[in-house]
Structure formats: C-alpha cells, structure tokens
Amino acid sequence: MRLIFLFFFFTINTSFALTLDSAKKFALLNNKNIKISSLNIQEKFGEVRSNEGIYDLDFFTSFNYKDSKIPSTSAFASNDIINETISSYSIGFESYLPTGTSFRINAFDLVKTESDLGTNSMSPSWKSSSSLLVTQNLFRNFGSDINSSFIFVAQNNKEISKIALEKTISETLVNVESKFYSALLAKKKVDVSSSSLFLAEDLVIKNSIQVEAGTLPKIALLQAKAAVAFRQVELIKSQNEYDNALDELKVSISMPLKTKIVLEGSIEPKIEKVNDFDKIEEIALNNRPEIKQRNLRIKSASRLVDYYKNQMLPDFNLQASIGYSGLGGSKSDDYSTAILGPPSIDSKYDDGFSDSISNLRSGDNFDWSIGASLIIPLGNDDAKGKLQSNEANKAREAILLEQLLDQVALEARSSWRDVASNLRNIDSTKIAFELQKEILENEQERFNIGLSKTNDVLEAQKELEQAELTYNKAIAEYNLSLSKYKFSLGTLIKDNKIILDD
C-alpha cells in the first residue's frame, strides 16, 4: 500500500520536498540493493525447502499388463505354447526418516494371472498383498544430525542472507545520508555563491559612485566588475554541482532521475551520546553482522566435516519386512482333469477377486523376513576428497573470523576517534567563521573611510565564503561520522528503529 501511495504521489506532483528521514524511508522501499538482498533470502528459503525434501512422503501407484506366448514342451501345454496374460496393480507410500530409516508401504498389490497351462487349477487367479519394508542404516547415514547436515547448512545460509540484508540496509542508510549531506552542502554552496555575487555587485555600485565622484580610481571599479564576472561563473558551477548531487541522491534511493525534488533541512550538529571508548569493542563484537555470518559459516563447515567423516564408514543396513496376502480365482477351463484328476480348490479361494480380498483382510496369510547387507568402500576417494576439502574450509573460516574480529575492533576504535575529532573540528571552524565575519566587517569599514582597497574587501568576502562552507562541511562530516560510528558497532538499524520482518 505504501509503495502504491508513493508512486501515486510522485506521478501527480511535479516536485516535492525531501528530508533526510523521507529519503531514508524511500530508499528502504525502493533501493535496488535491498530488493536484491530480499530476493536472495527468498532463494535461500527455497534451498532449505529443497533440502528438506529428502523427508517428503511419496505416494506411488503403478499398473502393468503383460501378454506372452511361451514355447514349452510340457505335456500340459497346448500345442507346445503357453498363453499367459498378467495384469498387476500397486499403490502405496514411501519415505526416508531423519534417523536414517527408509520405509516402503505397499498398501495394496494385486496380480491377475490368466494362463492355459494345464497344471494351473485357477485361471484367472487374483493374488493380493499388503506389506511393509523397513531399512535402517547403522553406520553410514545413521542419526538425525548426519542426515540433516545439508538442511542445517541451508538454514545457516538462509540466516546469513538475512544478516546480509541487515548489512545492506545499514550500508544504504549511510550512503543515503552521505549523499543527502553532499546535496545539502552543494545547496549551501549555491546560497553562499549567490550571497557572494550580491556583495560583489553591491561593491560595483558603490565603486561606480565613488569613481564618478573622483574619490576612487577606475581600477577599483574594474576589480569589482571582474569579481562579479568571476562569481557569476562560480554560481553556475555551484548550481551544476548541486544538480549533480541531487542526481546522485536520487540514484542512492532508486528514485527516477527526472523527478524534481527540493531538499528540506539544515546542516545542524546532531545531539547524541557516544559510548565510552572502553566499551565500543565489546558492543561491536556482539552486534556486527559480519561476525554473525562468519560464525554461521564455521558451524556449517563443522557440520559438513562431521558428515563426510560419516561417509567414510561402511554401508551396513538392516532390512525387515512383514506382509499379508490373499488369493482368489476361478477353475481353469484348461486344467488337465484327465491326467491330474479334479482340481482341489478350497472354497475360500474359489470365488474370484472377492475371495482374494477376504483372505487378505483376514490376516491369516502372514509372512515376514529379516536380513542385512554390508558394503565396505575400498577406495572411497569421493568422501575422502570432500572431507579433506571441508576440513581445509573449516580451518580457513576460523582464521577469517580471527582477522574479522581484529578488523571490527579496529573500525570501531577508528570511528569513535573520527566522531571525537570531527566534533572538535566543528568548534574550530566555527571560530574561524566568526573571525572572518569580523574581518569582513572591519575591511568594509576601512574601505568606507578610504583605508582599505577594493581587493582587500573582495578577498575578505572570499575568505568568509570559504569559512562558512568549511564550517558547514565540518558539521556534515560530524553527523555522517556518527552514522558510520553506529555502522561500525552494528547498531545502526536498531538506532534508526527499523524492524525487519522474519
């Protein structure tokens, strides 16, 4: 809804005011890097779901029909050929459990056989069955930790992507603030250049009067006019710098370049408390997203090492099955009664398909089996190579974590010092700014009584312009250093009161 509102707002307004807060909000909704990070999270969710698929319950069903003519020299075969058709039907479920147990439930199997072989007393015959087959890994792939290794890694990768989003948001906030202050400084430079041009134009008017009165040489008027021409160019350059800064700000928040904006806000120092120097390392080490990511990578590497150690073991499986069966059919017209005598078919089997189902339901015909299989890898280079690779990766991740901890501590200490030095710089540049104001006032008074030259006044004006810009830049750098300081501690999102959905 907010995106629709913003789009509607931008399309009906030719220009609008943009504050630092609104620029940050717009970036959070539209910044392309944030969108990419969000899609990365969705991708990792998909990978988790894909890996969890090894435990999916599968439904299966099948049908097969076979019609065959089998040559035979049996006395019970008609014309030395056995004609036989077999129709088979099957339905059931199968799955794999985290414990390393696989199972197959043949809920219902049915085989219909029709044959003209003289020894078959029933044709067609219906054989039905239900069975459960269970296989348990005892060495390789035994236990939930081993079987869920890749799910564990995928879940960690998902968390790493979520943390990467946090980092991207923090980087975006710092970048937007940097571009916003750059644009504000460029705007301030336009204002200062405009004021400077006005002072030079005013000096031209005053000098013209004095030249006409004969109290000033013509060179003084030419100097003032030259200053006007120079400052007109400076104003044009300042305006171009401001327009470029606005474009860079639009790009940072993914706003269309054609959109017209007006910056709102002043360059004032933030009033915020900074943590004690002896606490910043601990805060950074507990909050920096890169450290959380690295720890997750180490956990994933450790789990994969355990997994490939397990793959070095023999593949030893126990297998057990239980089942029930049923039979039903009809007397075969091709049964060799003359040779074998009348067929002996129990009444519980002689009523076709229905008897087969009744026998199955009764549970009288029970069978079971148990067995084991052992496969010992003689080479197993695949598992050995992957184990070696993952052990090296685990060791590398540990070293990278040590490097990262040192780097984070260094950045936290450095950013704290930047805040402190930038705060002092505000005071010094403010003093210089106030001093240049007094110098210009003194030069103007001296010029009015003929004790100062035009060049002296123009120079004082230029020095004041530079001092004002330097003072404003010092404030902007201090404000930005506060955000970079919070970024170095990993608290920028929290301090901006941004809540991320899961």
Side-chain angles (χ1 to χ4, degrees), residues 221-248:
L221 178 59
L222 292 175
Q223 288 173 339
K225 288 182 177 180
V228 168
F230 177 78
R231 293 180 186 182
Q232 286 174 338
V233 173
E234 287 294 306
L235 179 59
I236 294 172
K237 290 181 178 180
S238 299
Q239 185 62 53
N240 288 338
E241 290 178 11
Y242 178 50
D243 292 338
N244 289 335
L246 288 179
D247 285 345
E248 290 185 7

Side-chain angles (χ1 to χ4, degrees), residues 46 77 166 236 244 389 412 426 459 485 493:
E166 296 178 20
I236 294 172
N244 289 335
S389 175
I426 291 176
E459 185 65 26
Y485 163 73
I493 288 182

Side-chain angles (χ1 to χ4, degrees), residues 251-263:
V251 170
S252 71
I253 62 177
S254 296
M255 178 182 288
L257 289 175
K258 293 182 179 179
T259 306
K260 295 181 180 180
I261 61 175
V262 177
L263 286 190

